[in-house]
Amino acid sequence: MDSKQMLAIVEQYCRKIASTYENITVTRIANWKTVFVEQTGESGRAVMLSEYKIDGVTCWAGYSTRSQTVYISMKA
């Protein structure tokens, strides 16, 4: 996933609260998270989130290639 596509997903979620984008699932996680551990069976994988500012709102988002999911955490 490139940064342009990631920005489009985050913008769409922040403006419309959309839970999907093409074939990618968008999942909101707890506020103020910058790292999310995605559980897959008995193991976990850390997804690092990057900061985005959309219309004055700060959020963090990261993409998991394993589950094809974007995780979004809001600032407040």
Side-chain angles (χ1 to χ4, degrees):
M1 161 146 342
D2 62 18
S3 60
K4 189 174 183 179
Q5 186 179 16
M6 187 68 169
L7 180 60
I9 292 169
V10 173
E11 285 178 341
Q12 178 179 337
Y13 180 85
C14 289
R15 292 180 178 151
K16 299 178 184 174
I17 312 296
S19 60
T20 59
Y21 181 86
E22 297 176 1
N23 294 333
I24 298 169
T25 302
V26 180
T27 302
R28 181 161 178 189
I29 58 174
N31 292 344
W32 294 92
K33 298 290 182 182
T34 56
V35 177
F36 178 72
V37 178
E38 179 183 53
Q39 296 293 323
T40 54
E42 295 180 9
S43 63
R45 180 178 183 179
V47 179
M48 304 301 289
L49 309 180
S50 299
E51 184 177 22
Y52 293 89
K53 292 188 181 194
I54 308 296
D55 299 334
V57 176
T58 302
C59 65
W60 291 273
Y63 177 67
S64 169
T65 55
R66 181 176 289 170
S67 65
Q68 293 190 347
T69 301
V70 171
Y71 294 100
I72 296 181
S73 173
M74 305 305 283
K75 182 176 180 182

